[in-house]
Amino acid sequence: MGSTDATLVFARGPLFYTALMIFIVGMAYRLVSVLLLGWKRDRVPNKGSKLRGVAVTYAKGLLIFPFIPWVKKTFRGNQTTYLAGGMFHFGLFVVIFLGTAHMLVWKSLLGFGWPTLALPIVDFLSAAAIVAMIALFVNRLANPVLRLISGPSEWLNLLIVFLPMVTGYGLTHHRLLGIVALPYENLYIMHMMSINLMLIWIPFSRISHFMFYFFSRTYHGAQAGKRAVMP
Amino acid sequence: MTTTIAPAPARAAIDSFIHTTGSWVASQLDACTRCGICAEACHFYEATGNPEFAPVWKVELLRRAYEQRFTLTGRAKLMLGLDKPVTDEDISHWSPIVYEACTLCNKCAMVCPMGIQLGPLIHDVREAMAEAEIIPADLVEAVRKQEEIGSPLGVTDDAWVDRIEWIADEWEVEIPIDVKGSDTMVAFTSIELMKFPENIVAIAKILNAAGEKWTISTPGREVVNFGVFEGNPDRVKLFMARLLDSAKELGVKRLVVTECGHAYDLLRWTAPNMVEMPCEVTHIVAVIDELIKAKRITLRPGAFDEGGTITFHDACKIQRRGGHIEEPRNILKLLAPTSFKELDRCREESVCCGGGGGVIAIKEADPLRYKVFELKIRQMEEVGATRVAMTCANCRLQFTESLQHFGSPVKAVGLSHLVAEALVEE
Ligand code: SF4
Ligand code: SF4
């Protein structure tokens, strides 16, 4: 076995599992430390239904705005963020959960698999997600508000998510692109290493927003619901 | 100009930040992706293009304090010099941003993809500023007046009685004072008392016509609460107690807040989490809608259809955060079925008047306040409005002053006033 092979085995074996553990433990730590700060009880009598507000806000936030963001009036001023942001997340979810290669990883972890989408679709969406990320990056550079609110970690976040995406895309197109200088195994190692880096990084960064999303959305929905206004 | 008294503003502010940070605050701060979408929601940003007015930037100090105290990454970033600490200079820098360039209207929460309640978080920042005693001087003065005299406009007890008597005489309307055993206690604002007395008249006429057993209260005469604007919980409770104790003393079933947005938000949606409530709290627009539905008052349908387009301005604390979005529309559709037109951005997405959150009381904020109002003017022009109705006297003050400032022909009217005009005597 050559040293490249050994590195690959290590990167997708022990290192990957270690990174995954750090991810899980790290996220659990974040969750617990936020939960432990304490919740205040809400004793305000409702006008409408909190539950309804929560249901509506998730329906809007997950089903409507990502796909037809122009129904929001503020869309006018944030077209890049809405469109590229939506495209990026959509592409990412499809690739991670409905790409065959990734589903097989899930299967090895969870013990069961599921049907996946045809490669050309997944491939197209991953390209779209990469383009969207570049657009988001340029937008962050160009927009004065985004420049102001972006610290070193915001830029690093972009890079750390970008790396697994481009290396993954490169893997699918390795033959097609005929990247001769970079053997498949090396690219694979880079893909795995960037994923491991990302997994370790997530709990310590704002990429973990996917977990806190459920808190802020629920709270928003409940606040609107109890007042009987549209969240 | 800001008043600096405390020796270590940053220390005091950080303590306040840490004190307010419970799970909801933390989870919301952690949910933020720094996408910047909230900026576009803020009328202060929209009107000026100043990136520092982005809502997410207004909570920057709270974020720093939280992360640097409670999270590993925050502490590491501070140590590595990747994040800035909260300094005395920061407190002075952010104070005008959160007091003069934010009306706490919470529109930003409606557009944030994560649903972060930025308005209340910015209020937490104000609390820290208050703790650090870096507060606009005009606000300090208004708070002092409310504490010592009983009204932020400086209306004394005697002046109040005189004024109420004058209103009752001048418009020949009965205004019951301190009547024990009434069902309803109505609490007005000093703004209505001094600037829009016809609003008091209108509400009195409506309640009298409905045969409501109502009263106003001498000790609970001021519904405005400048403690909220300032962000001082002790004074919030003090000013609120004057009202709630009176309601208890009078034994009323409900307290009706008239045209004051933040007071309504406080009494209806916050107070029950702070103190024991003696009765239920509602807003006058809900009461009017109820009286119409119950046929306790009758209005002349189409009474205001003539006279050009009439539109409605949604107040942030009475409509978006208050929950009374449908009631004013029910009323307007009755009074002006053909000439009532909605503004382009309305209801939950309404553009704030620019004078709320105490901003109108701060002289230095005037240029900004007028600048923001240009958005409102543009909106009204788009629908060709000649009149704009509203349910908040603070909004109306901002409208009246700013319309005059810009020489606009549009007329700002109180919804209660329209209702009173359209009353059919039985
Ligand atoms: S819109 Fe919400 S998530 Fe985006 S920067 Fe503003 S507060 Fe953060
Ligand atoms: S609460 Fe209103 S004024 Fe304040 S930042 Fe949000 S949108 Fe702007």
Side-chain angles (χ1 to χ4, degrees):
Chain A
M1 215 159 62
S3 75
T4 319
D5 291 342
T7 316
L8 183 55
V9 168
F10 179 66
R12 47 182 299 205
L15 195 58
F16 174 64
Y17 292 111
T18 312
L20 204 58
M21 276 321 286
I22 294 178
F23 169 77
I24 293 169
V25 173
M27 289 306 283
Y29 167 76
R30 288 289 301 280
L31 186 65
V32 170
S33 59
V34 164
L35 292 179
L36 285 183
L37 285 172
W39 308 82
K40 278 200 196 115
R41 269 204 49 210
D42 189 3
R43 285 181 286 142
V44 177
N46 296 343
K47 182 176 194 244
S49 147
K50 278 190 176 173
L51 210 61
R52 182 167 178 275
V54 174
V56 173
T57 198
Y58 278 108
K60 282 170 81 175
L62 293 173
L63 303 174
I64 300 180
F65 295 139
F67 303 103
I68 40 169
W70 41 92
V71 297
K72 272 240 134 131
K73 294 274 162 64
T74 35
F75 172 72
R76 297 171 194 155
N78 289 294
Q79 305 193 359
T80 316
T81 314
Y82 272 114
L83 293 177
M87 195 68 230
F88 162 72
H89 282 91
F90 184 66
L92 192 70
F93 286 135
V94 169
V95 174
I96 295 181
F97 295 105
L98 298 175
T100 311
H102 290 145
M103 186 278 285
L104 291 174
V105 179
W106 286 110
K107 194 173 173 180
S108 76
L109 290 172
L110 303 171
F112 59 89
W114 48 80
T116 52
L117 286 175
L119 183 63
I121 302 177
V122 177
D123 190 47
F124 173 77
L125 285 171
S126 62
I130 290 173
V131 172
M133 272 216 92
I134 296 171
L136 288 172
F137 172 71
V138 174
N139 194 36
R140 206 171 265 284
L141 271 179
N143 182 306
V145 171
L146 288 171
R147 257 205 324 263
L148 177 69
I149 62 175
S150 301
S153 23
E154 272 64 46
W155 302 106
L156 266 174
N157 286 347
L158 276 174
L159 182 70
I160 286 173
V161 178
F162 191 66
L163 290 177
M165 286 171 52
V166 274
T167 50
Y169 189 77
L171 276 182
T172 327
H173 293 269
H174 189 257
R175 273 202 201 96
L176 214 85
L177 297 173
I179 309 172
V180 196
L182 201 63
Y184 186 84
E185 284 70 22
N186 291 35
L187 198 55
Y188 198 174
I189 291 171
M190 284 167 68
H191 185 56
M192 282 318 299
M193 290 307 269
S194 59
I195 284 175
N196 295 338
L197 174 66
M198 186 178 74
L199 283 174
I200 296 169
W201 177 258
I202 288 176
F204 303 101
S205 74
R206 288 199 174 275
I207 308 174
S208 56
H209 68 268
F210 62 84
M211 182 166 76
F212 296 105
Y213 168 84
F214 295 97
F215 290 85
S216 54
R217 267 275 154 216
T218 305
Y219 190 51
H220 177 62
Q223 289 297 315
K226 79 173 182 187
R227 293 171 160 85
V229 301
M230 264 298 219
Chain B
M1 204 187 80
T2 48
T3 323
T4 314
I5 310 161
R11 194 62 261 150
I14 292 171
D15 286 346
S16 164
F17 286 138
I18 288 167
H19 177 73
T20 40
T21 306
S23 295
W24 278 126
V25 171
S27 58
Q28 294 191 85
L29 290 169
D30 279 339
C32 174
T33 60
R34 302 185 94 63
C35 69
I37 285 180
C38 49
E40 216 62 39
C42 181
H43 42 295
F44 287 100
Y45 174 74
E46 194 182 348
T48 62
N50 182 349
E52 290 216 80
F53 295 166
V56 56
W57 190 245
K58 289 172 184 159
V59 299
E60 168 72 6
L61 297 183
L62 174 59
R63 175 199 68 79
R64 281 189 207 164
Y66 158 66
E67 285 183 359
Q68 294 167 8
R69 175 66 159 53
F70 293 110
T71 74
L72 285 178
T73 335
R75 262 176 269 165
K77 280 195 330 200
L78 186 64
M79 251 154 50
L80 296 171
L82 294 175
D83 200 7
K84 296 184 189 123
V86 178
T87 64
D88 289 353
E89 290 73 44
D90 290 331
I91 304 295
S92 306
H93 179 77
W94 258 274
S95 172
I97 296 179
V98 295
Y99 281 111
E100 296 170 22
C102 178
T103 46
L104 305 172
C105 76
N106 209 33
K107 177 165 176 220
C108 34
M110 308 310 288
V111 309
C112 168
M114 312 303 281
I116 296 166
Q117 301 297 297
L118 287 147
L121 292 182
I122 298 170
H123 191 259
D124 289 345
V125 178
R126 280 200 187 183
E127 280 187 7
M129 296 289 165
E131 218 35 69
E133 300 190 36
I134 308 287
I135 310 162
D138 289 341
L139 221 48
V140 174
E141 180 56 14
V143 170
R144 188 196 61 80
K145 280 190 195 153
Q146 177 156 19
E147 188 162 5
E148 289 167 14
I149 306 173
S151 142
L153 293 186
V155 181
T156 60
D157 289 335
D158 292 343
W160 182 80
V161 175
D162 286 350
R163 185 88 180 157
I164 291 287
E165 279 173 2
W166 173 76
I167 292 172
D169 284 351
E170 185 73 17
W171 277 275
E172 293 176 2
V173 60
E174 197 192 325
I175 304 176
I177 305 180
D178 296 328
V179 181
K180 276 204 179 177
S182 302
D183 291 333
T184 300
M185 169 176 150
V186 179
F188 291 102
T189 62
S190 292
I191 305 178
E192 289 163 291
L193 189 78
M194 302 313 289
K195 312 244 158 121
F196 307 119
E198 76 283 359
N199 215 60
I200 298 183
V201 177
I203 290 170
K205 279 188 180 159
I206 295 166
L207 294 176
N208 290 340
E212 179 75 15
K213 279 168 72 188
W214 71 288
T215 183
I216 57 175
S217 149
T218 315
R221 63 186 168 92
E222 179 61 86
V223 79
V224 172
N225 192 321
F226 260 69
V228 176
F229 296 149
E230 177 196 24
N232 181 314
D234 294 333
R235 278 190 281 262
V236 168
K237 281 197 194 135
L238 171 74
F239 301 153
M240 200 161 68
R242 293 177 182 165
L243 281 161
L244 297 180
D245 292 349
S246 311
K248 194 170 179 186
E249 177 68 29
L250 292 168
V252 295
K253 296 200 190 85
R254 64 177 175 182
L255 171 63
V256 174
V257 177
T258 60
E259 303 207 347
C260 185
H262 78 276
Y264 183 62
D265 188 43
L266 170 70
L267 291 162
R268 174 66 179 87
W269 299 112
T270 313
N273 284 331
M274 297 171 80
V275 293
E276 201 60 53
M277 298 298 285
C279 60
E280 84 174 66
V281 174
T282 186
H283 188 262
I284 187 68
V285 75
V287 174
I288 295 177
D289 185 52
E290 206 179 276
L291 294 177
I292 298 173
K293 283 198 180 121
K295 302 214 176 348
R296 286 177 58 193
I297 55 172
T298 319
L299 305 185
R300 200 151 32 87
F304 291 96
D305 244 352
E306 308 280 303
T309 299
I310 184 165
T311 188
F312 182 72
H313 164 72
D314 289 279
C316 44
K317 299 284 170 55
I318 296 168
Q319 274 78 39
R320 173 168 44 238
R321 265 179 82 71
H324 301 292
I325 292 190
E326 298 307 332
E327 295 92 329
R329 288 171 169 83
N330 296 342
I331 298 171
L332 279 168
K333 280 177 194 154
L334 178 71
L335 295 180
T338 52
S339 62
F340 168 57
K341 271 210 194 90
E342 293 278 13
L343 294 173
D344 174 40
R345 284 178 281 175
C346 60
R347 304 174 70 99
E348 288 88 348
E349 279 198 88
S350 138
V351 179
C352 167
C353 69
V359 172
I360 202 166
I362 305 168
K363 196 91 199 85
E364 286 119 21
D366 281 358
L368 198 54
R369 181 161 67 79
Y370 289 133
K371 188 101 197 79
V372 165
F373 195 76
E374 286 175 24
L375 300 175
K376 227 50 239 194
I377 296 209
R378 217 173 306 147
Q379 274 196 302
M380 292 188 290
E381 279 170 1
E382 276 165 17
V383 295
T386 58
R387 295 160 297 171
V388 53
M390 56 204 75
T391 59
C392 174
N394 194 64
C395 293
R396 185 133 63 102
L397 192 58
Q398 159 77 340
F399 268 79
T400 323
E401 260 194 23
S402 308
L403 286 169
Q404 198 183 7
H405 176 85
F406 288 107
S408 164
V410 179
K411 218 173 135 355
V413 289
L415 188 61
S416 314
H417 190 58
L418 296 182
V419 171
E421 294 267 290
L423 272 178
V424 177
E425 310 281 339
E426 310 251 311

